[in-house]
Amino acid sequence: MSDVVITGVGVLSAAGIGYCALADALADGRLCGSAYETALPVTQVAQIPAPVSSVPEFKDDRKAWLALAALDEALADSRGLGDGRVSVFLGTGLSSVTPSELEEDAYPHLMADGRGFDRSALLADLASDRASPHRHDPARVTSAIARRVGARGPCGTSFSACAAAAQAIGEGLRAIRRGDADVAVVGGHDSMIHPFGMLSFIVLGALSPTACRPFDGHRDGFMIGEGAAILVLERAKYAEARGARVRARLLGAGTSVDGYAATAPQPEGLGAEAAMRAALRDADIRPEQIDYVNAHATGTPVGDTAEAAAIQRVVPNAKVSSIKGAVGHTIAAAGAIEAAACVAALERGFLPGTAGLQTVDGQMSVDVLHAPIASAPEVVMSNSFGFGGQNASLVFGRAEVQSG
Amino acid sequence: MVERRPVSVSGIGLLSPAGIGLEGLVGGEEGGTVPGFRARNYVSDRKSLKLMTTAVQLGVSAVQIALDDDGEWGTIPPDRRGIYVGASPQTGDPDALRPALEASVGPDGFDMKRFASDGFPLIHPLWLVRGLSNNIIGFAAAIHDLQGVNANYCDGVDGGINALREGALAVAEGRADLVVAGGADAWSGASALLGGQACGDGAAFVVFRAGGNDVLPEIDALASAVRSGAFLGSATAPVAFCKNLLMSR
């Protein structure tokens, strides 16, 4: 089986623009949220603290801008991709439905008597250049990146809610292992910091009205974030042949479904446990080899409890933290940004803390880090769990670590 | 390279603009809805049905038909049963937004601030949740206790091909012993969006198991085989695949 290495990383997050901005913020234990003024019950969000260049091809689609900016950094970081066969796998979300699109596309077709929409006019308008139906096509960014990198291998767009990016990274790993690609450009992107994006989480009671506190006894929800991360994966021998620098290794990936309910997580974390065990098997890594788990832990009461129980059963000796208190929950991008955080931890020799955490929930028996610590992790795991019960776990190793 | 075992199809669930199952083999080129389709014939939980868009109802129903056709899927441990789906974002009913939009009208027309303050409370809490593309996996996994490998692809026609290929490969590579794979979409009435092209609703899922005559070469050939007929979105390729399988039975 081919070893897969990570040779390029590009990140935009609330920590700033660039992989180093994320690594620095996590190493420093910085809170990156900012105040948000709205009539809605939301006080803090995790926005990118700098202008992001718009892309005419993707009018109004901020998440596309983020992905393309992250791609630029990742390609510069990997110093190109060589001449091999390239695949592209991205995780994405619903965020392209913005209030401005709603205003432009739907509102004008509300009939004068208010009884409904003029559907034929709505469809005709959507078919026009101003509001092409393809504007909402989640695969557009994947296609744009595939064109940009000259992809000749398999490509795909993962739409698995908050597990989307981690799933996409796993797809890239498999494409390389199968020999379908020498290089896989993988990651995720999302931006739901607008009233319509936040609405769905508010009405579900998932957003914190106060502050995000993963694993805390008084946690009351997550902080919405935005961002994108792109990773360049390569077959190890291909990377070596072209003289690429190796930042870390992607050792394995595992997925599972809760099979419990479409609208609620399995409360004992059985699905999470299955994904973690599958990733360990895939990586040929023993549980005691995992030094650190980057938890999905968003700060919701039910989700954190279930994940902590799963971690305790699978890797009871690992240190654990969640970076969502620092950079927010970036939804479909979360798995990619947290993969970048794992690469930073392995490269720089530290374990991130859990920003916002004050007192660990007494019912949890995992070793949660409040603040970052200096360490020399060799193998780490990252969890991403999505609405609909889709779970994905990834295992990363230091550049010089081999599976088994 | 990863070692592979042959993969065959042990169950088929087909819903196309031509009809259900064998009735869906011939016709349907003009698109439209699935004649005779009633989701309640396949999904017993009425509360769940209310949370499903048409495409999700079609997908969950086709999964049910495919597993029934397999007949022995329950003997496989849940963690060895996977599901791979091609699907589009399932935009909620625009009429459900009407009260919120009405409340957002100020002296100068649509007012975003009014929308935020007065419109939001009038939107059904699950309006956006219903639009999640991976709802077919969420509902089908809960109904059939599918706990293993999975993926949800949102790549239009290619999404259905990706789901079939990756689902078959998951069995071939030993990561699952049974995988339900396919796609579902609801494009009937949307031909104006696509320059007058025939559009329709559809869903098709197959059950993959190890052994037998390997179907991976047929899946790899699908990309060139689905460019004719009505546009069914993510269901286009799975419907074509299932038609071929049923005709060869």
Side-chain angles (χ1 to χ4, degrees), chain A residues 1-2 38-40 89 92 94 97 99-100 102-103 106-107 110 113-117 119-120 122-124 126-127 133-134 136-139 142 154-161 167 171 174 177-180 192 195-197 199-200 203-204 255-263 274 282 386-391, chain B residues 1-2 4 51 79-80 83-84 87 89-91 93-98 101-102 104-105 109-110 112-113 115-117 120-121 123-129 131-135 137-139 141-143 145-156 162 165-166 169-170 173 175 187 189-190 192-195:
Chain A
M1 196 160 64
S2 301
T38 174
L40 299 168
F89 293 96
T92 190
L94 266 178
V97 184
S100 55
L102 190 70
E103 182 181 356
Y107 176 73
L110 181 66
D113 60 6
R115 288 186 303 170
F117 283 88
R119 286 170 180 272
S120 60
L122 178 61
L123 289 173
L126 285 170
H134 300 297
H136 296 281
D137 179 356
T142 310
C155 298
T157 307
S158 171
F159 201 123
S160 314
Q167 290 246 13
E171 302 279 318
R174 272 183 269 285
R177 281 180 177 171
R178 286 177 190 143
D180 288 343
M192 296 188 79
F196 205 67
L199 170 73
S200 56
V203 295
L204 289 170
T255 63
S256 72
V257 196
D258 280 1
Y260 175 73
T263 52
D282 191 53
F387 197 89
Q390 287 185 267
N391 308 301
Chain B
M1 297 287 282
V2 181
R4 290 181 186 174
L51 297 176
D79 64 345
R80 298 291 294 169
I83 179 165
Y84 285 74
Q90 310 298 320
T91 306
D93 182 353
D95 281 343
L97 294 176
R98 182 175 51 79
L101 289 169
E102 285 175 331
S104 309
V105 179
F110 185 85
M112 189 57 69
K113 285 185 178 172
F115 182 62
S117 60
F120 273 173
I123 298 176
H124 189 282
L126 296 177
W127 189 82
L128 273 187
V129 172
L132 286 174
S133 167
N134 65 334
N135 277 345
I137 289 182
F139 285 108
I143 293 168
D145 206 9
L146 310 170
Q147 297 183 14
V149 292
N150 62 89
N152 189 73
Y153 300 100
C154 233
D155 294 295
N162 280 344
R165 185 168 191 272
E166 290 297 324
L169 284 169
E173 294 169 0
R175 288 181 288 116
W187 283 82
L193 291 173
L194 297 172

Side-chain angles (χ1 to χ4, degrees), chain B residues 20-116:
Chain B
I20 299 169
L22 290 173
E23 292 176 0
L25 286 182
V26 182
E29 286 80 8
E30 67 283 4
T33 58
V34 178
F37 174 70
R38 284 182 179 275
R40 65 180 62 176
N41 292 345
Y42 308 98
V43 182
S44 57
D45 181 2
R46 298 286 189 268
K47 276 177 67 180
S48 292
L49 271 179
K50 289 182 180 174
L51 297 176
M52 298 181 194
T53 60
T54 300
V56 174
Q57 291 180 355
L58 288 164
V60 172
S61 300
V63 168
Q64 177 77 57
I65 296 167
L67 288 170
D68 286 347
D69 190 36
D70 173 274
E72 297 182 349
W73 60 274
T75 61
I76 305 289
D79 64 345
R80 298 291 294 169
R81 305 174 197 153
I83 179 165
Y84 285 74
V85 175
S88 300
Q90 310 298 320
T91 306
D93 182 353
D95 281 343
L97 294 176
R98 182 175 51 79
L101 289 169
E102 285 175 331
S104 309
V105 179
D108 299 320
F110 185 85
D111 182 337
M112 189 57 69
K113 285 185 178 172
R114 280 178 186 257
F115 182 62

Side-chain angles (χ1 to χ4, degrees), chain A:
Chain A
M1 196 160 64
S2 301
D3 282 339
V4 175
V5 296
I6 298 165
T7 58
V9 184
V11 183
L12 284 84
S13 72
I17 292 183
Y19 166 63
C20 288
L22 175 70
D24 290 346
L26 296 179
D28 294 345
R30 222 163 55 223
L31 283 158
C32 303
S34 55
Y36 188 75
E37 288 187 18
T38 174
L40 299 168
V42 177
T43 54
Q44 273 197 326
V45 298
Q47 281 179 305
I48 294 165
V52 178
S53 299
S54 62
V55 180
E57 181 187 351
F58 293 98
K59 180 176 178 282
D60 290 338
D61 192 353
R62 182 172 167 85
K63 74 184 192 320
W65 310 346
L66 304 183
L68 294 168
L71 175 72
D72 287 340
E73 184 192 5
L75 293 179
D77 191 42
S78 67
R79 298 177 182 89
L81 303 176
D83 300 326
R85 197 172 187 211
V86 181
S87 280
V88 177
F89 293 96
L90 288 191
T92 190
L94 266 178
S95 55
S96 59
V97 184
T98 64
S100 55
E101 289 173 340
L102 190 70
E103 182 181 356
E104 288 181 25
D105 298 348
Y107 176 73
H109 304 296
L110 181 66
M111 290 193 290
D113 60 6
R115 288 186 303 170
F117 283 88
D118 181 342
R119 286 170 180 272
S120 60
L122 178 61
L123 289 173
D125 198 18
L126 285 170
S128 73
D129 288 339
R130 185 179 69 76
S132 160
H134 300 297
R135 183 163 148 190
H136 296 281
D137 179 356
R140 286 183 68 215
V141 181
T142 310
S143 299
I145 291 179
R147 286 194 300 276
R148 166 96 182 270
V149 302
R152 289 178 289 124
C155 298
T157 307
S158 171
F159 201 123
S160 314
C162 309
Q167 290 246 13
I169 293 170
E171 302 279 318
L173 171 73
R174 272 183 269 285
I176 293 173
R177 281 180 177 171
R178 286 177 190 143
D180 288 343
D182 300 300
V183 179
V185 174
V186 298
H189 58 124
D190 215 340
S191 176
M192 296 188 79
I193 302 178
H194 51 73
F196 205 67
M198 291 188 284
L199 170 73
S200 56
F201 297 115
I202 292 168
V203 295
L204 289 170
L207 280 194
S208 170
T210 55
C212 178
R213 289 162 289 196
F215 294 124
D216 195 287
H218 297 289
R219 65 191 181 280
D220 58 4
F222 66 80
M223 170 173 62
I224 191 85
E226 65 171 353
I230 298 289
L231 281 71
V232 176
L233 309 180
E234 300 189 38
R235 187 161 44 82
K237 287 184 177 170
Y238 175 84
E240 184 182 350
R242 75 179 191 94
R245 175 213 41 214
V246 175
R247 285 198 181 275
R249 290 174 185 270
L250 178 56
L251 302 176
T255 63
S256 72
V257 196
D258 280 1
Y260 175 73
T263 52
Q266 204 285 334
E268 295 165 46
L270 298 180
E273 177 180 350
M276 294 168 71
R277 292 196 189 282
L280 288 172
R281 278 196 305 275
D282 191 53
D284 195 16
I285 287 288
R286 299 184 306 280
E288 59 270 26
Q289 289 179 267
I290 298 292
D291 297 308
Y292 163 73
V293 177
N294 181 291
H296 180 67
T298 61
T300 59
V302 177
D304 290 14
T305 300
E307 184 176 12
I311 292 170
Q312 202 281 326
R313 291 193 295 271
V314 179
V315 285
N317 299 320
K319 304 283 188 195
V320 180
S321 74
S322 166
I323 69 167
K324 291 187 173 74
V327 296
H329 185 5
T330 55
I331 315 298
I337 290 173
E338 290 169 33
C342 286
V343 172
L346 291 162
E347 267 198 312
R348 293 196 177 188
F350 76 99
L351 300 180
T354 307
L357 171 63
Q358 293 173 342
T359 306
V360 176
D361 187 331
Q363 296 187 323
M364 296 177 179
S365 51
V366 289
D367 187 0
V368 182
L369 296 169
H370 288 246
I373 59 170
S375 181
E378 293 204 343
V379 183
V380 304
M381 174 179 275
S382 186
N383 288 339
S384 296
F385 308 137
F387 197 89
Q390 287 185 267
N391 308 301
S393 295
L394 302 169
V395 177
F396 300 91
R398 247 187 3 217
E400 60 272 25
V401 169
Q402 304 283 331
S403 294

